[in-house]
Amino acid sequence: MLGLAFAMAAPAQGGAPAGGGMMAQFQGLIPLVFMFAIFYFLLIRPQQKKAKEHRALLEALKKGDQVVTAGGMHGKVTALDDQVVTLEIAPGVNVRINKGYIASVKQD
């Protein structure tokens, strides 16, 4: 019961709020800013860099390149469109896939 009496007591004299004022509010934001910086440098930035490299790979794609799709299919590019790539996966066997599913270009 004594704790309740202290909790209901008048605020301290002196003009400043009992919570510490503006500095207490900023101390609560510091860990959030720090956590955002960690997420940015460990997750967001590397993912953006990898996406940029993949876009560059797709733009440099040309007829005759040996590629590997995201599903693991190996083939030779026989035709290119804006969004569709035609791959020859065996002599006389052509498949069409979306350009975004090209995972890598094999070096001969």
Side-chain angles (χ1 to χ4, degrees):
M1 194 69 168
L2 188 59
L4 181 60
F6 283 116
M8 295 177 61
Q13 298 295 328
M22 194 65 107
M23 190 55 134
Q25 292 176 348
F26 287 126
Q27 286 176 350
L29 289 176
I30 291 172
L32 291 175
V33 170
F34 185 66
M35 284 176 33
F36 178 76
I38 289 174
F39 275 109
Y40 179 76
F41 286 109
L42 293 180
L43 297 173
I44 298 170
R45 189 168 175 239
Q47 187 176 19
Q48 288 176 341
K49 183 179 177 184
K50 186 171 182 175
K52 185 178 179 182
E53 290 172 357
H54 188 251
R55 276 192 305 272
L57 176 128
L58 293 179
E59 289 173 4
L61 201 60
K62 61 189 179 299
K63 191 174 177 178
D65 284 345
Q66 296 286 334
V67 298
V68 179
T69 67
M73 189 180 308
H74 295 243
K76 180 180 176 181
V77 176
T78 57
L80 284 168
D81 203 0
D82 285 341
Q83 296 297 319
V84 178
V85 176
T86 304
L87 296 179
E88 183 178 28
I89 57 173
V93 180
N94 291 322
V95 293
R96 294 179 56 182
I97 63 165
N98 288 341
K99 198 173 192 178
Y101 285 99
I102 300 293
S104 65
V105 176
K106 294 192 316 186
Q107 302 298 327
D108 293 331

